[in-house]
Amino acid sequence: MPDFGLSEEQRSLQELARKFARTEMAPRAAECDRLGRFPEEVMRKAWELGLMNLNIPTEYGGSGLGLVDQCVIVEELAHACAGMTTSVIANCLALEPILLGGTPEQKQSVLTPFCSSYHLASFCLTEPGGGSDAGALQTRATRDGDHYVLDGEKCFITNGPHASLYTVFATTDPELRHKSICAFYLPRDTEGVTVGREEEKMGHRASSTSTVRFEKARIPVANRLGAEGDGFSIAMRTLDQTRTPIGALATGIAQAALDHASAYALKRHTFGKPISEHQAIQIKLANMAQDVHASRLLTWNAAWEIDHGRKGTLESSIAKCFASDAAMRVADEAIQVFGGYGYMKEYPVEKLLRDAKLAQIYEGSNEIQRIVIARELLRRYA
Amino acid sequence: MEIVVAVKPVPEAETRLRPDASHASLDPEGVKFVLAGYDESAVEQALLLKESTVGSRVRVLSFGPAPRTEEVLRAAVALGCDSATWVEHPSDLLPDAVLSARCIATAIAGPFSGLVLCGRQSGDEEGGIFAGALGALLKVPSLGYATNLRWKEPRGQLTLQRSIEGGLEEVESSLPLVVGLQQAWNDPRTAKLPNILKSRKAAIEKIPWEATVATLGPHAIPGTVRRTFRLPPPRTGAKMIRYDSPQDAAAQLVRLLREEAKVFP
Ligand SMILES: Cc1cc2nc3c(=O)[nH]c(=O)nc-3n(C[C@H](O)[C@H](O)[C@H](O)COP(=O)(O)OP(=O)(O)OC[C@H]3O[C@@H](n4cnc5c(N)ncnc54)[C@H](O)[C@@H]3O)c2cc1C
């Protein structure tokens, strides 16, 4: 059985992340949320401290952490601002395909210079025509000598406007669906690459999201990851790695909601006593605490499975799905504990609900997670 | 230059403190121990001097019980100190500042020609005695309330600033020297993630209590005894001023200070 405690090393990573979250992220969270501002200065500082390329091995200049370590850090960051956190961890998502599908030479030549100074990368899978059904993607890769020519559009791309490198999934033949998908990486300044305007979002407003278009963009064959047709598997295995930290992100949002609600309940008086002494409020707080605790343990368990060399498909889907649904419930109840003030932008809890919503949608929607969970489950009974 | 920084693990400012069963000491259960602001600025100063003076090394020293002392030493190594020494004492010993200075002086050992930095006072007991006592024990000059240390290479002189009543003085000294640092003037750095990971594996030299006792003999007993440790009484009587304009708020405040608080006639 796993040891549920954190090691001293993990505690010190947690402290670093907590300190960064409190001193650099939290003070800017409300302002970035209001203005939809991407805090470049926070991103740079996160990179300097080694909080950005968490999953990249140290030999390429990353932090080389396992998933439990990553989850501990991501939860702390998301406690201060989920939007900034999504942008901080987007490099892990975008570079994972290179770790999974790249040759040693590709890794050395792309990751080392990329990690040696501040750079952002984006993972380009989703298209306007669909995200969940990745096998149906329409972006075309047409072979032309020792190049591929890329045509198509990707949407909802995190850090799209700020990235200098894109990992892109495209098909050589849409009829063949999954079997024809290839994974590539290309620099943003490749001719034929255009970045759309920043999307106005409900939450995660400190994170930057845009479309990325490819019009006759030429990529050397050497920039393909794996063989032709390996792309779908690379994309899915990437999401197997990055899904669990989304559970941690949701846990951070929920913990923040619980912290705010508990502190407020002790201070706010009605009918002659603090509302924390009304049993209806206590029950809310108790339910919220259960959700937070279960989210954290499910997330650590999934991360632990994967760190121990298992696929962890079932566990990571459960963790991501449960924690993001829980974050919605907990943020919702936090607003209720705050009453009318909870509905006001001047107080921090309504943002948590808007931020939590995304965790149910991206990196595989919760409907898709439930399909995966049911499939894994039923396989065991068939 | 040989730079030694002496640090003390103190409770993090945000932790809730409680007396232990003996009512003479803090209950360490659930308390997180960290470097105080004074010590952080001493470590930062040591690292700045190291970075600007070729061939310098920083050794961090701390006198305290397990496990808190090891934790703050690792934190100092993660920030950039080159080596760490833990002068251990049993957890039930309540040392005073003079005993602490004796134990650190013993660990520094030998003829010392470098620079010792520490906070101008500890972050918990705030005695302000340690730097002076250590200077006396090492038989070297000692200065407190210092900021902005600079090493002047050709003449082998150290300059520093001290904020004194009503002014700022600049002092020059040769080594060896003990300096107590002011806090919150040099924006102490944050340790980077890879350095934190490395610091977990760093070797920490440990001087067992028995060895210190053998060296100090009867001096290993604290000269003062703490009988009780109590929390301050809870604060009462905060008064909110309701006002229409800033002028109104100021007028009300002046009236309250005169009539109720009676701080001036
Ligand atoms: C802020 C933000 C940032 C993002 N960042 C990135 C990024 O960096 N890179 C990237 O590639 N993508 C990114 N995405 C895209 C995200 O992953 C997709 O939005 C998500 O996968 C869902 O795809 P879709 O929006 O096309 O919805 P659709 O696939 O059209 O789904 C619509 C609805 O139908 C449900 N549904 C679909 N299929 C089924 C089914 N078989 N059974 C039951 N229900 C189903 C879905 O769950 C959803 O509720 C981001 C999205 C957002 C909003």
Side-chain angles (χ1 to χ4, degrees), chain A residues 198-236:
Chain A
E198 298 216 8
E199 304 287 356
E200 276 291 337
K201 300 190 297 295
M202 167 185 178
H204 274 64
R205 292 174 52 79
S207 178
S208 162
T209 318
S210 72
T211 55
V212 180
R213 271 186 82 81
F214 305 98
E215 282 167 292
K216 299 202 169 42
R218 292 177 69 81
I219 322 178
V221 171
N223 287 22
R224 192 185 65 215
L225 297 167
E228 249 186 39
D230 282 354
F232 187 78
S233 151
I234 291 174
M236 294 304 121

mmCIF file of all heavy atoms in Angstrom, chain A residues 198-236:
data_model
loop_
_atom_site.group_PDB
_atom_site.id
_atom_site.type_symbol
_atom_site.label_atom_id
_atom_site.label_comp_id
_atom_site.label_asym_id
_atom_site.label_seq_id
_atom_site.Cartn_x
_atom_site.Cartn_y
_atom_site.Cartn_z
ATOM 1 N N GLU A 198 -6.996 36.518 -29.008
ATOM 2 C CA GLU A 198 -7.234 35.836 -27.737
ATOM 3 C C GLU A 198 -8.731 35.693 -27.487
ATOM 4 O O GLU A 198 -9.481 36.641 -27.683
ATOM 5 C CB GLU A 198 -6.621 36.645 -26.594
ATOM 6 C CG GLU A 198 -5.139 36.763 -26.735
ATOM 7 C CD GLU A 198 -4.420 36.737 -25.405
ATOM 8 O OE1 GLU A 198 -5.060 36.471 -24.373
ATOM 9 O OE2 GLU A 198 -3.201 36.995 -25.421
ATOM 10 N N GLU A 199 -9.140 34.535 -27.027
ATOM 11 C CA GLU A 199 -10.545 34.300 -26.726
ATOM 12 C C GLU A 199 -10.918 35.004 -25.423
ATOM 13 O O GLU A 199 -10.104 35.097 -24.501
ATOM 14 C CB GLU A 199 -10.805 32.796 -26.540
ATOM 15 C CG GLU A 199 -10.405 31.923 -27.706
ATOM 16 C CD GLU A 199 -11.328 32.042 -28.908
ATOM 17 O OE1 GLU A 199 -12.344 32.774 -28.808
ATOM 18 O OE2 GLU A 199 -11.035 31.418 -29.949
ATOM 19 N N GLU A 200 -12.158 35.502 -25.362
ATOM 20 C CA GLU A 200 -12.702 36.026 -24.104
ATOM 21 C C GLU A 200 -13.363 34.862 -23.387
ATOM 22 O O GLU A 200 -14.299 34.266 -23.910
ATOM 23 C CB GLU A 200 -13.772 37.085 -24.414
ATOM 24 C CG GLU A 200 -13.234 38.468 -24.665
ATOM 25 C CD GLU A 200 -12.667 39.113 -23.403
ATOM 26 O OE1 GLU A 200 -13.060 38.717 -22.288
ATOM 27 O OE2 GLU A 200 -11.814 40.006 -23.547
ATOM 28 N N LYS A 201 -12.886 34.527 -22.194
ATOM 29 C CA LYS A 201 -13.374 33.323 -21.533
ATOM 30 C C LYS A 201 -14.143 33.626 -20.251
ATOM 31 O O LYS A 201 -13.976 34.661 -19.631
ATOM 32 C CB LYS A 201 -12.193 32.400 -21.194
ATOM 33 C CG LYS A 201 -11.404 31.942 -22.411
ATOM 34 C CD LYS A 201 -10.416 30.856 -22.063
ATOM 35 C CE LYS A 201 -9.331 31.278 -21.097
ATOM 36 N NZ LYS A 201 -8.419 32.301 -21.627
ATOM 37 N N MET A 202 -14.952 32.631 -19.859
ATOM 38 C CA MET A 202 -15.720 32.692 -18.610
ATOM 39 C C MET A 202 -14.802 32.675 -17.385
ATOM 40 O O MET A 202 -14.975 33.452 -16.451
ATOM 41 C CB MET A 202 -16.644 31.471 -18.597
ATOM 42 C CG MET A 202 -17.310 31.161 -17.296
ATOM 43 S SD MET A 202 -18.220 29.586 -17.533
ATOM 44 C CE MET A 202 -18.886 29.334 -15.906
ATOM 45 N N GLY A 203 -13.859 31.785 -17.395
ATOM 46 C CA GLY A 203 -12.904 31.673 -16.294
ATOM 47 C C GLY A 203 -11.508 31.473 -16.861
ATOM 48 O O GLY A 203 -11.304 31.673 -18.058
ATOM 49 N N HIS A 204 -10.570 31.105 -15.985
ATOM 50 C CA HIS A 204 -9.182 30.928 -16.454
ATOM 51 C C HIS A 204 -8.763 32.135 -17.288
ATOM 52 O O HIS A 204 -8.119 31.998 -18.326
ATOM 53 C CB HIS A 204 -9.056 29.643 -17.286
ATOM 54 C CG HIS A 204 -8.810 28.418 -16.471
ATOM 55 N ND1 HIS A 204 -9.728 27.945 -15.563
ATOM 56 C CD2 HIS A 204 -7.761 27.565 -16.396
ATOM 57 C CE1 HIS A 204 -9.257 26.850 -14.984
ATOM 58 N NE2 HIS A 204 -8.071 26.599 -15.462
ATOM 59 N N ARG A 205 -9.145 33.317 -16.821
ATOM 60 C CA ARG A 205 -8.947 34.502 -17.657
ATOM 61 C C ARG A 205 -7.515 35.001 -17.657
ATOM 62 O O ARG A 205 -7.137 35.829 -18.487
ATOM 63 C CB ARG A 205 -9.936 35.590 -17.242
ATOM 64 C CG ARG A 205 -11.393 35.195 -17.589
ATOM 65 C CD ARG A 205 -12.405 36.183 -17.073
ATOM 66 N NE ARG A 205 -12.115 37.551 -17.460
ATOM 67 C CZ ARG A 205 -12.367 38.072 -18.659
ATOM 68 N NH1 ARG A 205 -12.942 37.344 -19.590
ATOM 69 N NH2 ARG A 205 -12.065 39.318 -18.916
ATOM 70 N N ALA A 206 -6.691 34.485 -16.728
ATOM 71 C CA ALA A 206 -5.276 34.842 -16.752
ATOM 72 C C ALA A 206 -4.525 33.977 -17.760
ATOM 73 O O ALA A 206 -3.387 34.264 -18.119
ATOM 74 C CB ALA A 206 -4.665 34.670 -15.368
ATOM 75 N N SER A 207 -5.161 32.901 -18.185
ATOM 76 C CA SER A 207 -4.545 32.034 -19.187
ATOM 77 C C SER A 207 -4.914 32.579 -20.555
ATOM 78 O O SER A 207 -5.960 33.197 -20.726
ATOM 79 C CB SER A 207 -5.080 30.612 -19.020
ATOM 80 O OG SER A 207 -4.533 29.774 -20.010
ATOM 81 N N SER A 208 -4.046 32.338 -21.512
ATOM 82 C CA SER A 208 -4.285 32.888 -22.835
ATOM 83 C C SER A 208 -4.664 31.736 -23.774
ATOM 84 O O SER A 208 -4.037 30.685 -23.757
ATOM 85 C CB SER A 208 -2.999 33.591 -23.253
ATOM 86 O OG SER A 208 -2.967 33.792 -24.608
ATOM 87 N N THR A 209 -5.715 31.941 -24.562
ATOM 88 C CA THR A 209 -6.232 30.872 -25.422
ATOM 89 C C THR A 209 -6.535 31.457 -26.792
ATOM 90 O O THR A 209 -7.133 32.543 -26.877
ATOM 91 C CB THR A 209 -7.557 30.313 -24.838
ATOM 92 O OG1 THR A 209 -7.436 30.178 -23.436
ATOM 93 C CG2 THR A 209 -7.914 28.975 -25.446
ATOM 94 N N SER A 210 -6.150 30.761 -27.864
ATOM 95 C CA SER A 210 -6.410 31.301 -29.206
ATOM 96 C C SER A 210 -6.493 30.170 -30.223
ATOM 97 O O SER A 210 -6.231 29.018 -29.907
ATOM 98 C CB SER A 210 -5.282 32.245 -29.622
ATOM 99 O OG SER A 210 -4.125 31.483 -29.909
ATOM 100 N N THR A 211 -6.836 30.541 -31.445
ATOM 101 C CA THR A 211 -6.710 29.586 -32.545
ATOM 102 C C THR A 211 -5.294 29.652 -33.106
ATOM 103 O O THR A 211 -4.589 30.655 -32.918
ATOM 104 C CB THR A 211 -7.683 29.934 -33.695
ATOM 105 O OG1 THR A 211 -7.435 31.291 -34.077
ATOM 106 C CG2 THR A 211 -9.135 29.782 -33.270
ATOM 107 N N VAL A 212 -4.893 28.582 -33.769
ATOM 108 C CA VAL A 212 -3.619 28.587 -34.499
ATOM 109 C C VAL A 212 -3.915 27.994 -35.875
ATOM 110 O O VAL A 212 -4.460 26.894 -35.978
ATOM 111 C CB VAL A 212 -2.547 27.739 -33.776
ATOM 112 C CG1 VAL A 212 -1.236 27.760 -34.563
ATOM 113 C CG2 VAL A 212 -2.305 28.251 -32.355
ATOM 114 N N ARG A 213 -3.615 28.779 -36.932
ATOM 115 C CA ARG A 213 -3.904 28.331 -38.310
ATOM 116 C C ARG A 213 -2.641 27.939 -39.041
ATOM 117 O O ARG A 213 -1.588 28.555 -38.858
ATOM 118 C CB ARG A 213 -4.527 29.493 -39.096
ATOM 119 C CG ARG A 213 -6.014 29.600 -39.024
ATOM 120 C CD ARG A 213 -6.472 30.715 -39.974
ATOM 121 N NE ARG A 213 -6.570 30.219 -41.342
ATOM 122 C CZ ARG A 213 -7.623 29.544 -41.784
ATOM 123 N NH1 ARG A 213 -8.623 29.269 -40.984
ATOM 124 N NH2 ARG A 213 -7.665 29.130 -43.035
ATOM 125 N N PHE A 214 -2.774 26.925 -39.865
ATOM 126 C CA PHE A 214 -1.648 26.490 -40.694
ATOM 127 C C PHE A 214 -2.087 26.581 -42.150
ATOM 128 O O PHE A 214 -3.065 25.963 -42.550
ATOM 129 C CB PHE A 214 -1.262 25.052 -40.352
ATOM 130 C CG PHE A 214 -0.977 24.863 -38.889
ATOM 131 C CD1 PHE A 214 -1.952 24.355 -38.044
ATOM 132 C CD2 PHE A 214 0.244 25.230 -38.358
ATOM 133 C CE1 PHE A 214 -1.711 24.207 -36.688
ATOM 134 C CE2 PHE A 214 0.494 25.092 -36.991
ATOM 135 C CZ PHE A 214 -0.477 24.584 -36.166
ATOM 136 N N GLU A 215 -1.383 27.421 -42.924
ATOM 137 C CA GLU A 215 -1.681 27.529 -44.359
ATOM 138 C C GLU A 215 -0.403 27.236 -45.123
ATOM 139 O O GLU A 215 0.538 28.014 -45.097
ATOM 140 C CB GLU A 215 -2.173 28.942 -44.679
ATOM 141 C CG GLU A 215 -3.626 29.159 -44.281
ATOM 142 C CD GLU A 215 -4.004 30.626 -44.299
ATOM 143 O OE1 GLU A 215 -3.493 31.376 -43.443
ATOM 144 O OE2 GLU A 215 -4.782 31.017 -45.174
ATOM 145 N N LYS A 216 -0.378 26.070 -45.735
ATOM 146 C CA LYS A 216 0.818 25.633 -46.486
ATOM 147 C C LYS A 216 2.079 25.806 -45.633
ATOM 148 O O LYS A 216 3.108 26.301 -46.111
ATOM 149 C CB LYS A 216 0.954 26.398 -47.798
ATOM 150 C CG LYS A 216 -0.242 26.193 -48.733
ATOM 151 C CD LYS A 216 0.122 26.497 -50.169
ATOM 152 C CE LYS A 216 -0.955 26.053 -51.144
ATOM 153 N NZ LYS A 216 -2.345 26.344 -50.717
ATOM 154 N N ALA A 217 1.978 25.429 -44.372
ATOM 155 C CA ALA A 217 3.145 25.532 -43.488
ATOM 156 C C ALA A 217 4.021 24.302 -43.727
ATOM 157 O O ALA A 217 3.551 23.171 -43.629
ATOM 158 C CB ALA A 217 2.698 25.586 -42.038
ATOM 159 N N ARG A 218 5.288 24.533 -44.052
ATOM 160 C CA ARG A 218 6.173 23.407 -44.401
ATOM 161 C C ARG A 218 6.974 22.961 -43.176
ATOM 162 O O ARG A 218 7.624 23.771 -42.525
ATOM 163 C CB ARG A 218 7.112 23.808 -45.539
ATOM 164 C CG ARG A 218 6.367 24.019 -46.863
ATOM 165 C CD ARG A 218 7.306 24.497 -47.965
ATOM 166 N NE ARG A 218 8.259 23.471 -48.379
ATOM 167 C CZ ARG A 218 7.959 22.481 -49.232
ATOM 168 N NH1 ARG A 218 6.745 22.408 -49.757
ATOM 169 N NH2 ARG A 218 8.868 21.593 -49.566
ATOM 170 N N ILE A 219 6.895 21.661 -42.893
ATOM 171 C CA ILE A 219 7.640 21.100 -41.760
ATOM 172 C C ILE A 219 8.560 20.009 -42.288
ATOM 173 O O ILE A 219 8.104 19.114 -43.013
ATOM 174 C CB ILE A 219 6.708 20.395 -40.746
ATOM 175 C CG1 ILE A 219 5.385 21.140 -40.581
ATOM 176 C CG2 ILE A 219 7.383 20.197 -39.421
ATOM 177 C CD1 ILE A 219 4.456 20.411 -39.624
ATOM 178 N N PRO A 220 9.831 20.040 -41.926
ATOM 179 C CA PRO A 220 10.732 18.955 -42.348
ATOM 180 C C PRO A 220 10.228 17.613 -41.796
ATOM 181 O O PRO A 220 9.703 17.565 -40.684
ATOM 182 C CB PRO A 220 12.073 19.318 -41.711
ATOM 183 C CG PRO A 220 11.960 20.734 -41.281
ATOM 184 C CD PRO A 220 10.513 21.042 -41.111
ATOM 185 N N VAL A 221 10.410 16.560 -42.573
ATOM 186 C CA VAL A 221 10.019 15.221 -42.119
ATOM 187 C C VAL A 221 10.701 14.899 -40.781
ATOM 188 O O VAL A 221 10.132 14.205 -39.926
ATOM 189 C CB VAL A 221 10.370 14.174 -43.200
ATOM 190 C CG1 VAL A 221 10.170 12.761 -42.668
ATOM 191 C CG2 VAL A 221 9.508 14.394 -44.438
ATOM 192 N N ALA A 222 11.904 15.460 -40.580
ATOM 193 C CA ALA A 222 12.646 15.211 -39.333
ATOM 194 C C ALA A 222 11.901 15.726 -38.100
ATOM 195 O O ALA A 222 12.227 15.349 -36.976
ATOM 196 C CB ALA A 222 14.020 15.867 -39.413
ATOM 197 N N ASN A 223 10.893 16.589 -38.296
ATOM 198 C CA ASN A 223 10.121 17.101 -37.155
ATOM 199 C C ASN A 223 8.912 16.228 -36.822
ATOM 200 O O ASN A 223 8.082 16.613 -36.013
ATOM 201 C CB ASN A 223 9.613 18.515 -37.433
ATOM 202 C CG ASN A 223 10.710 19.551 -37.371
ATOM 203 O OD1 ASN A 223 11.879 19.208 -37.516
ATOM 204 N ND2 ASN A 223 10.341 20.796 -37.168
ATOM 205 N N ARG A 224 8.794 15.072 -37.483
ATOM 206 C CA ARG A 224 7.692 14.172 -37.143
ATOM 207 C C ARG A 224 8.098 13.344 -35.931
ATOM 208 O O ARG A 224 9.246 12.920 -35.824
ATOM 209 C CB ARG A 224 7.397 13.250 -38.329
ATOM 210 C CG ARG A 224 6.080 12.488 -38.174
ATOM 211 C CD ARG A 224 5.891 11.499 -39.310
ATOM 212 N NE ARG A 224 6.928 10.469 -39.223
ATOM 213 C CZ ARG A 224 7.505 9.876 -40.272
ATOM 214 N NH1 ARG A 224 7.151 10.187 -41.512
ATOM 215 N NH2 ARG A 224 8.440 8.965 -40.090
ATOM 216 N N LEU A 225 7.163 13.149 -35.026
ATOM 217 C CA LEU A 225 7.434 12.328 -33.840
ATOM 218 C C LEU A 225 6.916 10.920 -34.117
ATOM 219 O O LEU A 225 5.744 10.735 -34.455
ATOM 220 C CB LEU A 225 6.729 12.916 -32.616
ATOM 221 C CG LEU A 225 7.212 14.317 -32.227
ATOM 222 C CD1 LEU A 225 6.254 14.968 -31.226
ATOM 223 C CD2 LEU A 225 8.629 14.258 -31.650
ATOM 224 N N GLY A 226 7.794 9.927 -34.004
ATOM 225 C CA GLY A 226 7.406 8.551 -34.293
ATOM 226 C C GLY A 226 7.159 8.363 -35.777
ATOM 227 O O GLY A 226 7.530 9.214 -36.601
ATOM 228 N N ALA A 227 6.485 7.271 -36.106
ATOM 229 C CA ALA A 227 6.223 6.959 -37.508
ATOM 230 C C ALA A 227 4.942 7.651 -37.952
ATOM 231 O O ALA A 227 4.194 8.177 -37.130
ATOM 232 C CB ALA A 227 6.089 5.452 -37.674
ATOM 233 N N GLU A 228 4.680 7.635 -39.249
ATOM 234 C CA GLU A 228 3.390 8.102 -39.760
ATOM 235 C C GLU A 228 2.308 7.231 -39.131
ATOM 236 O O GLU A 228 2.443 6.007 -39.103
ATOM 237 C CB GLU A 228 3.340 7.976 -41.283
ATOM 238 C CG GLU A 228 3.349 9.316 -41.966
ATOM 239 C CD GLU A 228 3.143 9.247 -43.481
ATOM 240 O OE1 GLU A 228 2.336 8.426 -43.936
ATOM 241 O OE2 GLU A 228 3.817 10.041 -44.173
ATOM 242 N N GLY A 229 1.279 7.851 -38.594
ATOM 243 C CA GLY A 229 0.208 7.060 -37.985
ATOM 244 C C GLY A 229 0.367 6.842 -36.491
ATOM 245 O O GLY A 229 -0.521 6.315 -35.833
ATOM 246 N N ASP A 230 1.520 7.279 -35.924
ATOM 247 C CA ASP A 230 1.711 7.133 -34.470
ATOM 248 C C ASP A 230 1.049 8.269 -33.679
ATOM 249 O O ASP A 230 0.994 8.234 -32.450
ATOM 250 C CB ASP A 230 3.208 7.147 -34.116
ATOM 251 C CG ASP A 230 3.879 5.818 -34.417
ATOM 252 O OD1 ASP A 230 3.149 4.870 -34.791
ATOM 253 O OD2 ASP A 230 5.117 5.731 -34.287
ATOM 254 N N GLY A 231 0.593 9.282 -34.394
ATOM 255 C CA GLY A 231 0.147 10.517 -33.741
ATOM 256 C C GLY A 231 -0.971 10.332 -32.738
ATOM 257 O O GLY A 231 -0.943 10.904 -31.642
ATOM 258 N N PHE A 232 -1.963 9.505 -33.103
ATOM 259 C CA PHE A 232 -3.110 9.346 -32.210
ATOM 260 C C PHE A 232 -2.675 8.735 -30.879
ATOM 261 O O PHE A 232 -3.048 9.209 -29.797
ATOM 262 C CB PHE A 232 -4.183 8.481 -32.878
ATOM 263 C CG PHE A 232 -5.460 8.412 -32.086
ATOM 264 C CD1 PHE A 232 -6.368 9.474 -32.103
ATOM 265 C CD2 PHE A 232 -5.751 7.306 -31.305
ATOM 266 C CE1 PHE A 232 -7.539 9.424 -31.357
ATOM 267 C CE2 PHE A 232 -6.923 7.244 -30.556
ATOM 268 C CZ PHE A 232 -7.817 8.304 -30.586
ATOM 269 N N SER A 233 -1.853 7.694 -30.989
ATOM 270 C CA SER A 233 -1.375 7.042 -29.769
ATOM 271 C C SER A 233 -0.524 8.005 -28.931
ATOM 272 O O SER A 233 -0.637 8.044 -27.697
ATOM 273 C CB SER A 233 -0.591 5.792 -30.160
ATOM 274 O OG SER A 233 0.390 5.522 -29.206
ATOM 275 N N ILE A 234 0.293 8.818 -29.591
ATOM 276 C CA ILE A 234 1.118 9.786 -28.850
ATOM 277 C C ILE A 234 0.207 10.785 -28.119
ATOM 278 O O ILE A 234 0.419 11.101 -26.940
ATOM 279 C CB ILE A 234 2.095 10.519 -29.803
ATOM 280 C CG1 ILE A 234 3.167 9.532 -30.298
ATOM 281 C CG2 ILE A 234 2.740 11.729 -29.123
ATOM 282 C CD1 ILE A 234 4.102 10.101 -31.360
ATOM 283 N N ALA A 235 -0.837 11.243 -28.808
ATOM 284 C CA ALA A 235 -1.761 12.206 -28.181
ATOM 285 C C ALA A 235 -2.441 11.576 -26.972
ATOM 286 O O ALA A 235 -2.532 12.193 -25.898
ATOM 287 C CB ALA A 235 -2.800 12.678 -29.196
ATOM 288 N N MET A 236 -2.922 10.353 -27.115
ATOM 289 C CA MET A 236 -3.641 9.718 -26.006
ATOM 290 C C MET A 236 -2.699 9.417 -24.837
ATOM 291 O O MET A 236 -3.055 9.603 -23.676
ATOM 292 C CB MET A 236 -4.328 8.417 -26.472
ATOM 293 C CG MET A 236 -5.451 8.649 -27.478
ATOM 294 S SD MET A 236 -6.731 9.797 -26.860
ATOM 295 C CE MET A 236 -6.669 11.099 -28.085
#
